[in-house]
Amino acid sequence: MAAMEYTSKYCKYCGQQRKFERPGTNHILHLILSILTVGLWIPVWILSAIKIGGWRCSFCGKRA
């Protein structure tokens, strides 16, 4: 299960200050996989840390 990151932002769709969320990165898991694969997992780790998709309003689900 991936961790979630939260922040507060103004949602232009709701017209109010709302809680926004995005999936987090499990760095310990990626570190273990990188060690076990002798570094071959590092590009996957970098791509997962970029957080493609960005922040979403937890009320309406729209992107920030």
Side-chain angles (χ1 to χ4, degrees):
M1 185 171 150
M4 293 297 284
E5 296 177 351
Y6 301 98
T7 190
S8 178
K9 293 184 176 198
Y10 180 81
C11 179
K12 61 184 177 182
Y13 298 99
C14 297
Q16 295 183 18
Q17 192 77 9
R18 297 279 188 191
K19 180 175 78 171
F20 276 70
E21 56 189 24
R22 69 178 176 187
T25 302
N26 186 340
H27 293 289
I28 300 297
L29 172 65
H30 288 287
L31 175 63
I32 292 168
L33 289 171
S34 295
I35 292 169
L36 291 175
T37 62
V38 193
L40 293 175
W41 191 258
I42 291 174
V44 176
W45 187 358
I46 292 170
L47 289 174
S48 71
I50 292 174
K51 309 220 184 334
I52 298 171
W55 294 101
R56 290 191 173 269
C57 176
S58 61
F59 186 78
C60 70
K62 302 284 186 177
R63 289 187 183 165

